[in-house]
Amino acid sequence: MKWPAASGMILRFMSLQAWELPKQDSTLAPPDVWTNKDMDPTPLKDQTWGTWSLLAYWATDLMNLSTWQTASAILAVGLSWREAIPIMFLGNLVVAIPITLNGAIGSRLHVPFSVAATGGFGYYLRYFCILSRAILGMFWLGIQSVSGSKCITVMLCALAPSYNEIENRLPESAGITTQGFISYFLFWLIQLPLLLIHPTKLRPLFLVKLVAAPVSAIALLGWSVHRAGTGGEIFAQRATVSGSTYAYLWLSCMSSVTGSWATLGVNIPDFTRYAKTPNGQFIQFPAMPIIFTLCGTIGIVTTSAARVFMGEYHWNPLEIIALWLEYGPGGRAAAFFAAFAWYIAQVGTNITANSISAANDLTVLFPRWVNIKRGCIIAAVIACWGLAPWKILSSAETFLAFLGGYAVFLGPMAGIMAADFWLVKRQHIDIPALYDPRGRYRYVGGCNWRAAVAFFIPVIPLLPGLGLEINGPEAVHINDGLKNLYTINYMFGFFTSIFLYTVLSRAFPAKETLLKETVWDLDQVVIYGRAREEEMDASDAKLSDAVDVTGS
């Protein structure tokens, strides 16, 4: 047998044609439009997420290092725990509204966000939303990986104390130490195969994290309070600001909490598309703020107690866990398993909040070459190595401010999607047309001008506030009105876009997109069984009446 020359194999390997995916015969798109199975509506056999699966999803998504440390930013500006707890709850309650409304798109139509966005934005304008979400998801995938690498450091120090003595051979300009880089590489290497788990197979991971993270958090809380003999002094503190400054900081912190989960207000259909029932996803509305607030509150109590014996506030739980390394073999074992629990928490968040979302977006941007599994690999490589997230965390404060302020754009996106599905199209969508560039959702040149107007009008007055957040008051000077408006950027963008899009769609209706019933496949019959349609109609009867009253 004659093998091809090595150079020929390399050239073939590097050609785009060699990486093409086989075109799926079951897709809804026209023959000349390339798509793949991961873009299609979720088949009935994969609609396996019940109410408990969605609860586990949020428990795994919200239990992470970032949530634990949320209160630190609130207390740092002069507010107290009395403000931090309601700010965390209300901030998440606000973002739970678009998450629940847009989650219904996935649970009813079983299509990902990147396909569902076609209905409101148009076949080509949706690519702006998809690209924005993919880039943002990859940035946060990398940043969360840097945070998670600290878990590896504690675990390796527990196994081999000499790991903590590794000499740093990297320059300060690298933004990371030799030890940190090794931990980061190992975190990425171990995380990579977990990122390849298909969303339909995630429930075992949910279960592991649902047990590991809360047990570790409660154990750390109990140990800190027991060693301190008290809950600490943080609960005796009061806000150091008052008047208009107090109100401004209250709203600003709430907006930051809301913005931290704003991406899921847009792409939650990526997960609810796997739901068993159309209305099971409504559990997200109460679950999200409750779980987040519980985790954040545990972080406040633990940090307060730890200050008694550490001398200062340490908001990263891994810094407290590292103390256990000094307690002999038993302490090192406890530190290892506690750090391992937080490792699972970070990986779980990366999978559910960042990796899968970016992968879904890449399948639509490059359907000929990318499916969900390949998308996860591409996102992991670009996010964790191409973007050098350790450099971003060490030096790029203005860029981090931009990422945090991206809610300015995500609020209107989420509002347009919700208004289009609930108030304009009344839940009746032509699913095959979502895949057709010449279908009823082409609008004008592939763009729905109503969505463009409803997007830019609320964004424009928020841009000065975003500029102030990124560059500081020395470089940007704006009046108090614009400054205060920016404190509620997500809420302003979300609700203003709903109002504008609904009014424009009623005043200038795109009649070809307004249907009396859902079109499920190319023959306009239900592709998942008549029973499912009847179940959805029955369970939505009261809800649909309420929407009709609101929209009339």
Side-chain angles (χ1 to χ4, degrees):
M1 180 176 178
K2 185 177 180 180
W3 293 92
S7 58
M9 292 183 66
I10 293 173
L11 289 174
R12 183 179 177 185
F13 180 80
M14 295 179 64
S15 69
L16 287 176
Q17 186 176 0
W19 289 94
E20 278 190 3
L21 293 165
K23 197 172 189 301
Q24 304 291 326
D25 295 332
S26 61
T27 55
L28 299 177
D32 61 315
V33 176
W34 200 283
T35 182
N36 60 60
K37 183 177 67 174
D38 289 327
M39 292 170 56
D40 278 355
T42 305
L44 186 62
K45 66 181 179 64
D46 290 332
Q47 295 171 25
T48 57
W49 286 29
T51 300
W52 284 107
S53 295
L54 287 165
L55 275 174
Y57 165 80
W58 279 111
T60 57
D61 215 1
L62 295 168
M63 290 290 291
N64 58 60
L65 296 173
S66 297
T67 301
W68 181 283
Q69 299 174 79
T70 297
S72 65
I74 300 175
L75 272 62
V77 299
L79 300 177
S80 72
W81 68 272
R82 293 176 175 83
E83 290 77 34
I85 292 176
I87 282 173
M88 289 189 292
F89 184 84
L90 292 176
N92 279 276
L93 190 67
V94 168
V95 78
I97 296 173
I99 285 175
T100 305
L101 291 176
N102 290 331
I105 302 174
S107 67
R108 285 159 166 73
L109 305 182
H110 301 285
V111 295
F113 146 72
S114 46
V115 172
T118 307
F121 289 89
Y123 190 87
Y124 293 115
L125 184 59
R126 66 169 176 157
Y127 285 112
F128 168 74
C129 304
I130 295 170
L131 184 61
S132 299
R133 173 64 192 104
I135 293 173
L136 194 64
M138 284 189 279
F139 271 112
W140 284 117
L141 174 60
I143 290 170
Q144 290 280 15
S145 295
V146 174
S147 298
S149 67
K150 297 175 183 177
C151 301
I152 297 293
T153 299
V154 174
M155 291 165 63
L156 291 179
C157 286
L159 292 173
S162 59
Y163 184 74
N164 202 36
E165 301 173 4
I166 292 179
E167 181 183 354
N168 179 37
R169 296 182 178 275
L170 295 176
E172 186 176 350
S173 60
I176 194 170
T177 64
T178 301
Q179 182 201 68
F181 188 83
I182 295 172
S183 296
Y184 178 76
F185 174 74
L186 291 173
F187 179 92
W188 178 83
L189 192 65
I190 301 170
Q191 174 184 245
L192 184 60
L194 298 175
L195 295 180
L196 302 182
I197 300 175
H198 195 273
T200 57
K201 305 292 194 301
L202 283 175
R203 283 189 296 175
L205 178 65
F206 290 169
L207 181 61
V208 172
K209 183 176 174 180
L210 192 59
V211 174
V215 168
S216 177
I218 293 172
L220 186 59
L221 168 66
W223 179 82
S224 298
V225 172
H226 175 74
R227 177 169 176 181
T230 175
E233 300 177 354
I234 204 169
F235 295 100
Q237 297 178 2
R238 295 187 176 274
T240 58
V241 293
S242 59
S244 60
T245 302
Y246 176 89
Y248 169 78
L249 291 174
W250 212 103
L251 290 173
S252 180
C253 289
M254 190 181 80
S255 182
S256 295
V257 172
T258 299
S260 64
W261 293 100
T263 52
L264 280 168
V266 173
N267 69 274
I268 190 62
D270 288 341
F271 303 98
T272 55
R273 65 185 292 201
Y274 301 105
K276 286 182 180 178
T277 62
N279 288 339
Q281 64 92 28
F282 283 113
I283 192 65
Q284 298 178 110
F285 184 71
M288 184 184 178
I290 291 173
I291 296 171
F292 187 99
T293 305
L294 284 174
C295 183
T297 302
I298 291 174
I300 293 175
V301 178
T302 304
T303 301
S304 176
R307 184 180 184 274
V308 174
F309 53 83
M310 295 184 74
E312 57 183 346
Y313 291 120
H314 288 269
W315 288 98
N316 189 332
L318 294 172
E319 295 175 357
I320 305 174
I321 291 172
L323 294 178
W324 298 353
L325 297 172
E326 303 172 2
Y327 286 79
R332 293 203 304 272
F336 176 87
F337 287 111
F340 179 67
W342 284 109
Y343 170 84
I344 295 173
Q346 287 299 107
V347 172
T349 299
N350 256 349
I351 292 172
T352 53
N354 301 316
S355 175
I356 290 176
S357 300
N360 271 301
D361 296 338
L362 291 173
T363 62
V364 174
L365 291 171
F366 309 103
R368 186 183 294 265
W369 301 280
V370 181
N371 54 21
I372 285 185
K373 185 168 290 188
R374 288 185 180 182
C376 287
I377 295 174
I378 293 169
V381 172
I382 294 176
C384 297
W385 300 108
L387 301 178
W390 59 88
K391 290 281 288 184
I392 295 174
L393 286 174
S394 66
S395 59
E397 293 183 6
T398 57
F399 189 75
L400 287 174
F402 171 75
L403 288 179
Y406 207 80
V408 166
F409 307 101
L410 296 172
M413 288 182 194
I416 290 167
M417 289 179 62
D420 182 72
F421 184 73
W422 288 101
L423 301 178
V424 176
K425 296 187 173 66
R426 308 296 182 90
Q427 307 175 56
H428 298 311
I429 305 294
D430 182 349
I431 296 178
L434 296 175
Y435 298 84
D436 188 354
R438 298 173 295 276
R440 68 176 78 242
Y441 302 119
R442 178 176 174 80
Y443 296 102
V444 179
C447 302
N448 184 358
W449 64 268
R450 304 159 193 81
V453 172
F455 176 83
F456 284 109
I457 286 182
V459 164
I460 289 172
L462 294 172
L463 292 179
L466 179 60
L468 177 66
E469 184 77 10
I470 294 173
N471 298 306
E474 297 82 9
V476 178
H477 305 281
I478 60 175
N479 60 47
D480 289 340
L482 291 174
K483 182 180 178 181
N484 293 333
L485 180 64
Y486 185 76
T487 63
I488 54 171
N489 56 60
Y490 187 84
M491 291 180 286
F492 175 77
F494 178 70
F495 290 109
T496 302
S497 64
I498 287 179
F499 173 78
L500 290 173
Y501 184 81
T502 304
V503 169
L504 289 172
S505 297
R506 296 288 176 84
F508 308 97
K511 295 180 180 179
E512 70 280 4
T513 68
L514 304 178
L515 310 175
K516 292 184 178 180
E517 59 183 21
T518 299
V519 178
W520 295 90
D521 72 354
L522 295 172
D523 296 321
Q524 299 191 8
V525 296
V526 181
I527 57 177
Y528 301 136
R530 183 67 59 185
R532 177 166 179 79
E533 180 78 347
E534 292 172 354
E535 173 197 351
M536 191 164 73
D537 289 342
S539 63
D540 284 353
K542 293 183 180 180
L543 185 60
S544 296
D545 291 342
V547 173
D548 288 341
V549 171
T550 304
S552 61

PDB file of all heavy atoms in Angstrom, residues 140-162:
ATOM      1  N   TRP A 140     -15.432  35.676  27.925  1.00  0.00           N
ATOM      2  CA  TRP A 140     -15.741  35.226  29.282  1.00  0.00           C
ATOM      3  C   TRP A 140     -15.296  33.796  29.521  1.00  0.00           C
ATOM      4  O   TRP A 140     -14.966  33.421  30.644  1.00  0.00           O
ATOM      5  CB  TRP A 140     -17.244  35.379  29.559  1.00  0.00           C
ATOM      6  CG  TRP A 140     -17.643  36.795  29.824  1.00  0.00           C
ATOM      7  CD1 TRP A 140     -18.492  37.566  29.094  1.00  0.00           C
ATOM      8  CD2 TRP A 140     -17.184  37.630  30.900  1.00  0.00           C
ATOM      9  NE1 TRP A 140     -18.594  38.837  29.633  1.00  0.00           N
ATOM     10  CE2 TRP A 140     -17.796  38.899  30.732  1.00  0.00           C
ATOM     11  CE3 TRP A 140     -16.304  37.446  31.967  1.00  0.00           C
ATOM     12  CZ2 TRP A 140     -17.576  39.952  31.619  1.00  0.00           C
ATOM     13  CZ3 TRP A 140     -16.078  38.500  32.842  1.00  0.00           C
ATOM     14  CH2 TRP A 140     -16.701  39.728  32.666  1.00  0.00           C
ATOM     15  N   LEU A 141     -15.255  32.977  28.486  1.00  0.00           N
ATOM     16  CA  LEU A 141     -14.732  31.616  28.614  1.00  0.00           C
ATOM     17  C   LEU A 141     -13.273  31.655  29.055  1.00  0.00           C
ATOM     18  O   LEU A 141     -12.853  30.911  29.956  1.00  0.00           O
ATOM     19  CB  LEU A 141     -14.869  30.876  27.281  1.00  0.00           C
ATOM     20  CG  LEU A 141     -14.254  29.478  27.178  1.00  0.00           C
ATOM     21  CD1 LEU A 141     -14.876  28.540  28.190  1.00  0.00           C
ATOM     22  CD2 LEU A 141     -14.441  28.917  25.768  1.00  0.00           C
ATOM     23  N   GLY A 142     -12.508  32.537  28.449  1.00  0.00           N
ATOM     24  CA  GLY A 142     -11.105  32.670  28.829  1.00  0.00           C
ATOM     25  C   GLY A 142     -10.922  33.246  30.218  1.00  0.00           C
ATOM     26  O   GLY A 142     -10.100  32.756  31.010  1.00  0.00           O
ATOM     27  N   ILE A 143     -11.685  34.286  30.538  1.00  0.00           N
ATOM     28  CA  ILE A 143     -11.546  34.939  31.848  1.00  0.00           C
ATOM     29  C   ILE A 143     -11.941  33.995  32.981  1.00  0.00           C
ATOM     30  O   ILE A 143     -11.265  33.908  34.013  1.00  0.00           O
ATOM     31  CB  ILE A 143     -12.395  36.227  31.879  1.00  0.00           C
ATOM     32  CG1 ILE A 143     -11.763  37.283  30.948  1.00  0.00           C
ATOM     33  CG2 ILE A 143     -12.510  36.776  33.297  1.00  0.00           C
ATOM     34  CD1 ILE A 143     -12.625  38.499  30.717  1.00  0.00           C
ATOM     35  N   GLN A 144     -13.027  33.242  32.789  1.00  0.00           N
ATOM     36  CA  GLN A 144     -13.434  32.271  33.813  1.00  0.00           C
ATOM     37  C   GLN A 144     -12.408  31.155  33.948  1.00  0.00           C
ATOM     38  O   GLN A 144     -12.220  30.592  35.034  1.00  0.00           O
ATOM     39  CB  GLN A 144     -14.801  31.679  33.455  1.00  0.00           C
ATOM     40  CG  GLN A 144     -15.970  32.644  33.576  1.00  0.00           C
ATOM     41  CD  GLN A 144     -16.442  32.821  35.018  1.00  0.00           C
ATOM     42  OE1 GLN A 144     -15.759  32.458  35.960  1.00  0.00           O
ATOM     43  NE2 GLN A 144     -17.632  33.377  35.176  1.00  0.00           N
ATOM     44  N   SER A 145     -11.721  30.831  32.868  1.00  0.00           N
ATOM     45  CA  SER A 145     -10.689  29.791  32.930  1.00  0.00           C
ATOM     46  C   SER A 145      -9.497  30.254  33.764  1.00  0.00           C
ATOM     47  O   SER A 145      -8.895  29.461  34.499  1.00  0.00           O
ATOM     48  CB  SER A 145     -10.231  29.411  31.519  1.00  0.00           C
ATOM     49  OG  SER A 145     -11.284  28.810  30.790  1.00  0.00           O
ATOM     50  N   VAL A 146      -9.142  31.531  33.656  1.00  0.00           N
ATOM     51  CA  VAL A 146      -8.063  32.060  34.486  1.00  0.00           C
ATOM     52  C   VAL A 146      -8.434  31.962  35.961  1.00  0.00           C
ATOM     53  O   VAL A 146      -7.621  31.543  36.804  1.00  0.00           O
ATOM     54  CB  VAL A 146      -7.742  33.519  34.102  1.00  0.00           C
ATOM     55  CG1 VAL A 146      -6.712  34.107  35.060  1.00  0.00           C
ATOM     56  CG2 VAL A 146      -7.209  33.596  32.683  1.00  0.00           C
ATOM     57  N   SER A 147      -9.670  32.328  36.286  1.00  0.00           N
ATOM     58  CA  SER A 147     -10.127  32.226  37.681  1.00  0.00           C
ATOM     59  C   SER A 147     -10.104  30.774  38.150  1.00  0.00           C
ATOM     60  O   SER A 147      -9.699  30.474  39.275  1.00  0.00           O
ATOM     61  CB  SER A 147     -11.546  32.801  37.808  1.00  0.00           C
ATOM     62  OG  SER A 147     -11.577  34.172  37.468  1.00  0.00           O
ATOM     63  N   GLY A 148     -10.539  29.867  37.277  1.00  0.00           N
ATOM     64  CA  GLY A 148     -10.567  28.455  37.636  1.00  0.00           C
ATOM     65  C   GLY A 148      -9.198  27.840  37.805  1.00  0.00           C
ATOM     66  O   GLY A 148      -9.035  26.853  38.536  1.00  0.00           O
ATOM     67  N   SER A 149      -8.180  28.407  37.136  1.00  0.00           N
ATOM     68  CA  SER A 149      -6.830  27.841  37.244  1.00  0.00           C
ATOM     69  C   SER A 149      -6.297  27.935  38.666  1.00  0.00           C
ATOM     70  O   SER A 149      -5.413  27.155  39.064  1.00  0.00           O
ATOM     71  CB  SER A 149      -5.877  28.554  36.281  1.00  0.00           C
ATOM     72  OG  SER A 149      -5.683  29.913  36.659  1.00  0.00           O
ATOM     73  N   LYS A 150      -6.834  28.858  39.447  1.00  0.00           N
ATOM     74  CA  LYS A 150      -6.404  28.969  40.846  1.00  0.00           C
ATOM     75  C   LYS A 150      -6.825  27.748  41.647  1.00  0.00           C
ATOM     76  O   LYS A 150      -6.196  27.401  42.646  1.00  0.00           O
ATOM     77  CB  LYS A 150      -6.978  30.252  41.453  1.00  0.00           C
ATOM     78  CG  LYS A 150      -6.463  31.523  40.767  1.00  0.00           C
ATOM     79  CD  LYS A 150      -7.131  32.769  41.287  1.00  0.00           C
ATOM     80  CE  LYS A 150      -6.651  34.009  40.522  1.00  0.00           C
ATOM     81  NZ  LYS A 150      -7.350  35.249  40.963  1.00  0.00           N
ATOM     82  N   CYS A 151      -7.901  27.087  41.210  1.00  0.00           N
ATOM     83  CA  CYS A 151      -8.306  25.831  41.849  1.00  0.00           C
ATOM     84  C   CYS A 151      -7.225  24.768  41.645  1.00  0.00           C
ATOM     85  O   CYS A 151      -6.904  24.004  42.565  1.00  0.00           O
ATOM     86  CB  CYS A 151      -9.625  25.334  41.258  1.00  0.00           C
ATOM     87  SG  CYS A 151     -11.019  26.471  41.418  1.00  0.00           S
ATOM     88  N   ILE A 152      -6.665  24.724  40.441  1.00  0.00           N
ATOM     89  CA  ILE A 152      -5.600  23.762  40.143  1.00  0.00           C
ATOM     90  C   ILE A 152      -4.384  24.029  41.019  1.00  0.00           C
ATOM     91  O   ILE A 152      -3.735  23.093  41.520  1.00  0.00           O
ATOM     92  CB  ILE A 152      -5.216  23.826  38.652  1.00  0.00           C
ATOM     93  CG1 ILE A 152      -6.406  23.424  37.769  1.00  0.00           C
ATOM     94  CG2 ILE A 152      -4.010  22.952  38.367  1.00  0.00           C
ATOM     95  CD1 ILE A 152      -6.805  21.973  37.890  1.00  0.00           C
ATOM     96  N   THR A 153      -4.057  25.304  41.231  1.00  0.00           N
ATOM     97  CA  THR A 153      -2.915  25.656  42.075  1.00  0.00           C
ATOM     98  C   THR A 153      -3.084  25.111  43.484  1.00  0.00           C
ATOM     99  O   THR A 153      -2.166  24.501  44.055  1.00  0.00           O
ATOM    100  CB  THR A 153      -2.729  27.185  42.119  1.00  0.00           C
ATOM    101  OG1 THR A 153      -2.478  27.668  40.794  1.00  0.00           O
ATOM    102  CG2 THR A 153      -1.572  27.563  43.025  1.00  0.00           C
ATOM    103  N   VAL A 154      -4.257  25.302  44.075  1.00  0.00           N
ATOM    104  CA  VAL A 154      -4.510  24.810  45.433  1.00  0.00           C
ATOM    105  C   VAL A 154      -4.472  23.281  45.456  1.00  0.00           C
ATOM    106  O   VAL A 154      -3.899  22.669  46.374  1.00  0.00           O
ATOM    107  CB  VAL A 154      -5.862  25.337  45.952  1.00  0.00           C
ATOM    108  CG1 VAL A 154      -6.198  24.717  47.304  1.00  0.00           C
ATOM    109  CG2 VAL A 154      -5.833  26.851  46.073  1.00  0.00           C
ATOM    110  N   MET A 155      -5.069  22.641  44.446  1.00  0.00           N
ATOM    111  CA  MET A 155      -5.095  21.179  44.400  1.00  0.00           C
ATOM    112  C   MET A 155      -3.673  20.603  44.308  1.00  0.00           C
ATOM    113  O   MET A 155      -3.330  19.640  45.005  1.00  0.00           O
ATOM    114  CB  MET A 155      -5.935  20.714  43.209  1.00  0.00           C
ATOM    115  CG  MET A 155      -7.426  20.996  43.361  1.00  0.00           C
ATOM    116  SD  MET A 155      -8.328  20.841  41.797  1.00  0.00           S
ATOM    117  CE  MET A 155      -8.070  19.109  41.424  1.00  0.00           C
ATOM    118  N   LEU A 156      -2.826  21.194  43.455  1.00  0.00           N
ATOM    119  CA  LEU A 156      -1.467  20.688  43.302  1.00  0.00           C
ATOM    120  C   LEU A 156      -0.612  20.981  44.538  1.00  0.00           C
ATOM    121  O   LEU A 156       0.254  20.169  44.912  1.00  0.00           O
ATOM    122  CB  LEU A 156      -0.821  21.290  42.058  1.00  0.00           C
ATOM    123  CG  LEU A 156      -1.405  20.819  40.720  1.00  0.00           C
ATOM    124  CD1 LEU A 156      -0.717  21.503  39.555  1.00  0.00           C
ATOM    125  CD2 LEU A 156      -1.286  19.303  40.583  1.00  0.00           C
ATOM    126  N   CYS A 157      -0.852  22.112  45.185  1.00  0.00           N
ATOM    127  CA  CYS A 157      -0.136  22.407  46.427  1.00  0.00           C
ATOM    128  C   CYS A 157      -0.535  21.427  47.527  1.00  0.00           C
ATOM    129  O   CYS A 157       0.276  21.089  48.400  1.00  0.00           O
ATOM    130  CB  CYS A 157      -0.426  23.837  46.880  1.00  0.00           C
ATOM    131  SG  CYS A 157       0.397  25.108  45.892  1.00  0.00           S
ATOM    132  N   ALA A 158      -1.789  20.973  47.470  1.00  0.00           N
ATOM    133  CA  ALA A 158      -2.235  19.980  48.445  1.00  0.00           C
ATOM    134  C   ALA A 158      -1.577  18.624  48.190  1.00  0.00           C
ATOM    135  O   ALA A 158      -1.198  17.917  49.126  1.00  0.00           O
ATOM    136  CB  ALA A 158      -3.758  19.856  48.394  1.00  0.00           C
ATOM    137  N   LEU A 159      -1.413  18.271  46.933  1.00  0.00           N
ATOM    138  CA  LEU A 159      -0.795  16.992  46.590  1.00  0.00           C
ATOM    139  C   LEU A 159       0.719  17.037  46.759  1.00  0.00           C
ATOM    140  O   LEU A 159       1.340  16.063  47.198  1.00  0.00           O
ATOM    141  CB  LEU A 159      -1.138  16.614  45.140  1.00  0.00           C
ATOM    142  CG  LEU A 159      -2.606  16.264  44.855  1.00  0.00           C
ATOM    143  CD1 LEU A 159      -2.814  16.078  43.366  1.00  0.00           C
ATOM    144  CD2 LEU A 159      -3.014  15.001  45.611  1.00  0.00           C
ATOM    145  N   ALA A 160       1.320  18.162  46.374  1.00  0.00           N
ATOM    146  CA  ALA A 160       2.781  18.308  46.444  1.00  0.00           C
ATOM    147  C   ALA A 160       3.101  19.724  46.918  1.00  0.00           C
ATOM    148  O   ALA A 160       3.111  20.659  46.109  1.00  0.00           O
ATOM    149  CB  ALA A 160       3.414  18.043  45.081  1.00  0.00           C
ATOM    150  N   PRO A 161       3.335  19.914  48.222  1.00  0.00           N
ATOM    151  CA  PRO A 161       3.593  21.270  48.746  1.00  0.00           C
ATOM    152  C   PRO A 161       4.718  22.006  48.030  1.00  0.00           C
ATOM    153  O   PRO A 161       4.731  23.238  47.994  1.00  0.00           O
ATOM    154  CB  PRO A 161       3.942  20.993  50.218  1.00  0.00           C
ATOM    155  CG  PRO A 161       3.222  19.715  50.544  1.00  0.00           C
ATOM    156  CD  PRO A 161       3.291  18.903  49.280  1.00  0.00           C
ATOM    157  N   SER A 162       5.651  21.278  47.435  1.00  0.00           N
ATOM    158  CA  SER A 162       6.760  21.929  46.730  1.00  0.00           C
ATOM    159  C   SER A 162       6.291  22.695  45.500  1.00  0.00           C
ATOM    160  O   SER A 162       7.032  23.548  44.980  1.00  0.00           O
ATOM    161  CB  SER A 162       7.809  20.890  46.307  1.00  0.00           C
ATOM    162  OG  SER A 162       7.233  19.911  45.451  1.00  0.00           O
TER     163      SER A 162
END
